Amino acid sequence: ELPGSCSSKTLGPMVSFAARCIVLTLIAESVPSTSVDVEHCPAKEPIQTCQGPPDGSTFLMQKLQEGYNKHQRPPCSNGTHSGPTLVEVQLRMTHLSEVDVKKSRVMLQGYLRSWWHDARLAFQPRSEGGCFDSIDLSAGGASRVWLP
């Protein structure tokens, strides 16, 4: 067996497996007396598929079809709709255009971010076997979910 071959147990992440298998295949082709078992290379093994909807858009459509109500606030941590929904807000100012003290007016440019927890839209991320890590609401999706 060549040092660092595909069947070695000391290889790093999956990316390293594929790169080392390719290098060893090239070495095996240039040295006829050496054989490398490429069939057992981890890069050749089937990739496990994820569980659930393939992307955030499909997931959101399923939730809407199941009766997600954008007019109802997300439930609180106790599972009821009584009590406040905690909404966090962040403002990042990128440019201060004008300050008018007499009119008590300030013009600025920046980003306003807000986030909250809506358990009705909870999903499994890729690290837990899901198929996606976020739901993109930029293509009209924001009008379909509860907003503060």
Side-chain angles (χ1 to χ4, degrees):
E1 180 173 296
L2 294 171
S5 70
C6 296
S7 60
S8 172
K9 294 180 181 171
T10 60
L11 295 178
M14 197 61 122
V15 174
S16 297
F17 283 135
R20 289 181 185 170
C21 291
I22 291 168
V23 169
L24 291 176
T25 302
L26 294 174
I27 292 170
E29 289 175 1
S30 64
V31 182
S33 63
T34 308
S35 81
V36 176
D37 188 6
V38 179
E39 291 303 316
H40 292 94
C41 179
K44 291 276 187 174
E45 293 179 14
I47 299 171
Q48 284 194 347
T49 58
C50 55
Q51 299 294 318
D55 54 48
S57 298
T58 305
F59 171 79
L60 183 57
M61 290 307 296
Q62 286 178 353
K63 289 296 179 179
L64 293 170
Q65 291 171 352
E66 292 171 5
Y68 176 88
N69 183 354
K70 74 174 189 172
H71 301 292
Q72 188 174 28
R73 281 189 306 110
C76 299
S77 59
N78 64 6
T80 68
H81 292 279
S82 62
T85 298
L86 179 63
V87 178
E88 297 183 58
V89 179
Q90 179 183 58
L91 173 66
R92 179 177 179 163
M93 186 173 64
T94 58
H95 182 73
L96 181 60
S97 307
E98 178 185 330
V99 177
D100 189 336
V101 178
K102 289 183 181 181
K103 293 182 182 178
S104 297
R105 189 170 92 176
V106 175
M107 292 186 65
L108 58 92
Q109 294 175 345
Y111 303 95
L112 178 64
R113 290 179 33 183
S114 59
W115 59 95
W116 57 93
H117 181 74
D118 189 342
R120 301 170 298 171
L121 296 175
F123 60 86
Q124 284 188 325
R126 286 183 179 138
S127 63
E128 295 176 14
C131 300
F132 56 94
D133 289 321
S134 64
I135 301 173
D136 183 7
L137 298 177
S138 62
S143 65
R144 298 177 175 182
V145 300
W146 179 85
L147 298 173

